[in-house]
């Protein structure tokens, strides 16, 4: 769209408007009362009834100066003046053209006189292209939609807007009917290009449509609530009249007496009982149709429903409890032993406080399901509350009764559902708690999970203490790193590591396969899956610490078997290694096998991941150069620092290691960890990288059957690491027979399953000398 306009300089009297804007093509009236404004108006009537109007930035300023009003305004023609009582003048003006103040001619006169630039569009030279036409049509449609929502705009306005063909007039006329902020109106006034004005107005009108729609939604909701209340009131009055006619007149005193009886039977503590009786007394004095009576009834119902003195009887038979735990879960010995300890001590001291246990481990290892088994073993009710994504403190402590529709927090609500004051209460995914402006739920949990404080937990809704000391709280988490320190300090941490392949096979055979067969109404005679097939599924189709993916794969096999049985009218289907790919497709994973030969500059490390352990084959190459060090394989900062620490140790012990003392001046070292697409980090590869570098510099090969893990210091000490079980399992899968571990991890190795300890050899290193003696084949050099 091409637009041309002329600029005409002229001097006119000016009136700054308070709380309103005027646009070209707009006719409005306003009252003038300030002396300068009255004088400016009279002067304008002398000058062909022309006057310049602009808007004040702050309507409260009575004597504005140059900084108090906008420079852009409108040249207007005074159409009519009418003197009102009280020396005010009502003026009717018509906006003609836009103008901008160049300078104030005289501030000290009886009125404001300004020199302006007047922008006059040359209508004969305005070319309207397709883009402008489309924007005008879109704006007219949006204005129609706005008028449909806003009934205050007359229908004639829509028809008149439809007839406008000039883009410079269209935006100025529509803006008069739209509710806009003063800053938005001024922005429209200062935009000289008609197409840009159309674009801006389209944005503003869309925003207003959304606001109006939201207002209408809220209005309808409020009306509905009012109508519902009126309906309920009318029906209640009708019911009273009917009961009166039948001689069954409703007596509010009967309801109050019933509440007092329930309060007495609930066996509440003294404080709660006094609170309940006080509220019941209030209810007796309030009209039954009052909204407050409904709030009081809800509050009394909650107090009465809570199990203040109702407890389930604990199972004291340790043998039966052990049997239940063994039936439901394979492994998880630490958790089972802790529950049996609690049962034993509880028999010796019935008043002992329940433990608060936090089960930490990767997904799918049975943390949530073991909590259900604990409840079954103890003969207690079970409650699960997921904390993932909870960011409102009111979820824990509830809302105060001053809010409409308020209820207790989820802890008290769940206790009421359990109908006993000593359930097993599971806080699932406690490490996923969040916080925002509504509060910090983790801080609210501090009181709940503290045995010294939770005997008087106060919910905001109840406003009276409830004893949670008999509840056995169990929490689960994938990692302790995101749990706040004070909260972590209140819990007894039990680490649950991933399952071994043997444990997964046992779980698959005893639990998962029968469960899936039962769900699909099939028998083990109809679908046969051997243990060897389960091993193949575990190793080539799943990669996890738990067994969730394994269960899904078994379910997939059974569904495909069901199709075969129905379609081909078979009596049974056997799934084995030979035909497994027909059911699950090509294998998704492979496990790295140990090197076939002892090699120089290649050492086998062990890493922990969220889905179990992995082997890392760290490679080192030497090249002629200037002592540069290159690290590749998408390594994190900690892993890079471990490599630097290892190199510093090597350079400090060149003579002991019989390495050329000038090597770092003549050679470049390249350390690479394969599978570069996968990010890697952590300090536990320190001794592996150092061993690979020593091997490359000395020419001594690294034993292919040896894997290692541990952090290295500048002095060559080997520091302890985590994830021992997962790392050893990864080594076993790769065919490694010897694992070098830090000396301080010896106790972790003692806890490994017997079948692993029998088939693998462990070397516990205190320094790098211990590592190199075991890992390198000294005296034998190979080309590298």
């Amino acid at each position: 769209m091409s637009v041309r306009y002329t600029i005409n300089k002229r001097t006119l009297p000016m009136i700054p408007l308070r709380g309103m804007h005027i646009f070209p093509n707009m006719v409005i009236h306003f009252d003038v009362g300030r002396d300068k404004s009255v004088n400016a108006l009279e002067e304008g009537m002398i000058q062909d009834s022309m006057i310049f109007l602009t808007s004040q930035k702050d309507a409260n300023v009575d004597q504005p100066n140059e900084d108090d009003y906008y420079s852009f305004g409108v040249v207007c023609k005074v159409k009519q003046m009418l003197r009102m009582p009280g020396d005010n003048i009502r003026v009717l003006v018509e906006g003609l053209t836009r103008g901008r103040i160049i300078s104030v001619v005289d501030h000290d006169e009886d009125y404001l006189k300004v020199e302006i630039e007047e922008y006059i569009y040359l209508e004969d030279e305005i070319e309207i292209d397709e883009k402008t036409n489309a924007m005008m049509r879109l704006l007219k449609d949006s204005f129609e939609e706005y008028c449909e929502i806003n009934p205050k705009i007359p229908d004639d306005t829509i028809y008149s807007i439809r007839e406008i063909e000039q883009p410079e007039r269209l935006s100025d006329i529509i803006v008069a009917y739209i509710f806009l902020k003063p800053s938005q109106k001024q922005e429209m006034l200062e935009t000289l290009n008609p197409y840009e004005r159309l674009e801006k107005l389209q944005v503003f009108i869309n925003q207003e449509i959304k606001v109006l729609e939201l207002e209408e939604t809220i209005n309808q909701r409020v009306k509905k609530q009012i109508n519902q209340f009126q309906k309920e009131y009318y029906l209640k009055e009708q019911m009273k009249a009917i009961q009166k006619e039948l001689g069954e007149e409703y007596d509010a005193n009967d309801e109050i007496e019933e509440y007092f009886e329930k309060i007495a039977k609930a066996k509440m503590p003294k404080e709660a009982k006094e609170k309940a009786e006080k509220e019941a007394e209030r209810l007796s004095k309030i009209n039954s149709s009052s909204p407050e009576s409904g709030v009081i009834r809800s509050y009394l119902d909650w107090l009465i429903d809570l199990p203040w003195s109702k407890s389930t009887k604990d199972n004291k038979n340790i043998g039966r409890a052990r049997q239940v735990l063994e039936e439901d879960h394979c492994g998880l010995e630490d958790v089972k032993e802790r529950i049996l300890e609690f049962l034993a001590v509880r028999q010796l001291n019935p008043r002992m406080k329940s433990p608060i246990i936090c089960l930490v481990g990767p997904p799918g290892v049975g943390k949530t399901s073991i909590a259900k088994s604990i409840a079954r073993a103890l003969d207690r009710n079970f409650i699960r509350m997921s904390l993932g994504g909870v960011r409102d403190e009111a979820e824990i402590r509830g809302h105060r009764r001053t809010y409409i529709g308020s209820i207790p927090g989820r802890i008290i609500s769940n206790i009421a559902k359990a109908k006993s004051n000593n359930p097993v209460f599971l806080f699932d995914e406690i490490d996923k708690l969040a916080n925002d402006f509504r509060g910090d739920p983790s801080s609210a949990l501090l009181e709940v999970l503290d045995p010294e404080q939770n005997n008087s937990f106060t919910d905001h809704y109840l406003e009276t203490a409830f004893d949670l000391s008999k509840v056995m709280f169990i929490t689960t988490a994938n990692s302790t790193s995101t749990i706040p320190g004070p909260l972590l300090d209140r819990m007894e941490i039990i680490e649950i590591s991933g399952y071994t392949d043997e444990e997964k096979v046992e779980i698959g055979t005893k639990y998962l396969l029968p469960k899936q067969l039962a769900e699909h109404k099939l028998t083990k005679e109809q679908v046969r899956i051997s243990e060897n097939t389960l091993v193949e599924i575990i190793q080539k189709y799943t990669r996890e610490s738990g067994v969730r993916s394994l269960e899904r794969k078994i379910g997939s096999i059974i569904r495909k078997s069901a199709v075969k049985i129905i379609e081909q009218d078979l009596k049974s289907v056997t799934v084995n290694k030979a035909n497994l790919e027909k059911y699950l497709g090509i294998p998704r994973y492979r496990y790295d096998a140990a090197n076939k030969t002892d090699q120089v500059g290649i050492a086998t490390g062990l890493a922990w991941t969220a889905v179990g352990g992995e082997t890392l084959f760290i490679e080192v190459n030497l090249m002629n150069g200037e002592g540069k060090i290159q690290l590749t394989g998408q390594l994190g900062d900690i892993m890079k620092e471990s490599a630097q620490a290892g190199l510093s140790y090597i350079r400090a012990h060149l003579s002991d290691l019989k390495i050329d003392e000038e090597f770092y001046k003549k050679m470049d070292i390249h350390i690479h960890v394969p599978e570069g697409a996968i990010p890697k980090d952590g300090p536990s590869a320190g001794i592996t990288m150092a061993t690979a570098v020593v091997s490359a510099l000395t020419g001594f090969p690294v034993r292919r059957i040896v894997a290692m893990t541990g952090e290295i210091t500048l002095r060559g000490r080997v520091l302890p690491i985590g994830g021992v079980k997962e790392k050893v399992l990864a080594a076993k899968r790769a065919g490694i027979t010897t694992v070098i571990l830090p000396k301080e991890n010896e106790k972790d190795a003692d806890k490994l399953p017997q079948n692993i300890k029998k088939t693998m050899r462990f070397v516990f290193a205190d320094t790098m000398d211990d590592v190199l003696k075991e890992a390198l084949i000294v005296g034998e050099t190979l080309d590298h």
Side-chain angles (χ1 to χ4, degrees), residues 3 14 60 192 304 350 402 452 587 667:
V3 181
M14 183 192 78
N60 296 319
L192 298 178
I304 292 164
T402 50
E452 301 300 324
M667 292 182 180

Side-chain angles (χ1 to χ4, degrees), residues 217-233 404-405:
T217 303
I218 294 170
N219 190 34
Q220 290 297 329
R221 192 184 304 157
V222 171
K223 281 183 179 178
K224 187 177 179 182
Q225 288 175 349
I226 292 171
N227 291 338
Q228 181 67 22
F229 176 74
Q230 290 174 339
K231 179 183 176 183
E232 288 176 1
Y233 177 77
I404 295 173

Side-chain angles (χ1 to χ4, degrees), residues 605-720:
L606 299 172
W608 179 92
T609 69
V611 295
E614 293 288 338
T615 51
L616 296 176
F617 296 104
I618 295 176
E619 303 172 345
V620 175
N621 265 359
L622 302 178
M623 301 151 285
N624 292 330
E626 301 173 350
K628 293 180 181 177
I629 300 168
Q630 188 175 4
L631 300 166
T632 57
Q634 207 174 153
L635 310 184
D637 290 339
I638 298 172
M639 203 164 179
K640 289 178 181 178
E641 290 172 3
S642 294
Q644 294 287 355
L647 287 167
S648 296
Y649 165 77
I650 293 167
R651 287 183 60 181
H653 296 80
L654 292 176
S655 58
D656 297 336
L657 298 171
K658 298 180 181 177
I659 297 172
D660 181 6
E661 295 187 0
E662 301 293 322
F663 85 90
Y664 59 89
K665 296 180 182 178
K666 300 181 291 185
M667 292 182 180
D668 289 344
I669 299 176
H670 185 170
I671 302 175
H672 177 67
V673 184
E675 298 188 26
I678 301 172
K680 309 166 192 75
D681 205 1
S684 64
I687 65 171
T688 316
M689 289 188 284
T691 301
V693 173
V694 171
S695 171
L697 291 170
T698 59
F700 297 145
V702 182
R703 299 181 196 275
R704 62 184 180 83
I705 59 168
V706 173
M708 61 197 77
T709 178
E711 181 179 354
I712 188 173
T713 70
L714 286 175
R715 303 289 181 178
R717 287 189 58 228
V718 180
L719 300 183

Side-chain angles (χ1 to χ4, degrees), residues 107-108 117-118 136 197 221 225 269 279 296 416 502 520 632 683 724 732 737 744 760 781:
H107 238 302
D108 298 327
E117 288 181 344
E118 183 182 10
M136 290 175 66
R197 285 207 302 274
R221 192 184 304 157
Q225 288 175 349
E279 291 297 317
I296 296 174
E502 290 80 4
H520 294 86
T632 57
V724 171
K732 186 175 183 294
T737 58
E744 293 181 39
M760 300 193 74
T781 58

Side-chain angles (χ1 to χ4, degrees), residues 340-369:
L340 297 176
E341 288 168 8
F342 165 71
L343 281 177
V345 176
R346 192 61 180 263
Q347 289 191 33
L348 299 173
N349 180 13
R351 295 185 180 180
M352 188 196 75
K353 293 174 181 174
S354 296
I356 295 169
I357 297 170
C358 180
L359 307 177
V360 181
V365 294
K367 299 185 296 296
T368 304
S369 59

Side-chain angles (χ1 to χ4, degrees), residues 252 255-264 266 268 272-286 292-306 308 401 406 408 416 461-462 464:
E255 183 188 19
I256 305 302
E257 287 177 10
E258 186 179 346
Y259 270 123
F260 275 108
E261 288 175 9
K262 289 179 178 179
I263 291 167
M268 303 177 188
K273 187 177 181 182
E274 289 175 356
K275 184 83 175 172
E277 288 175 345
K278 183 179 178 182
E279 291 297 317
E281 286 288 346
R282 279 186 63 210
L283 182 62
S284 66
K285 298 172 184 176
I286 293 176
E292 181 69 13
S293 66
V295 174
I296 296 174
R297 284 188 182 92
S298 296
Y299 178 71
L300 289 173
D301 289 340
W302 275 109
L303 282 178
I304 292 164
D305 287 344
L306 281 173
W308 299 94
R401 282 190 291 152
S406 58
Y461 180 83
L462 295 184
T464 185

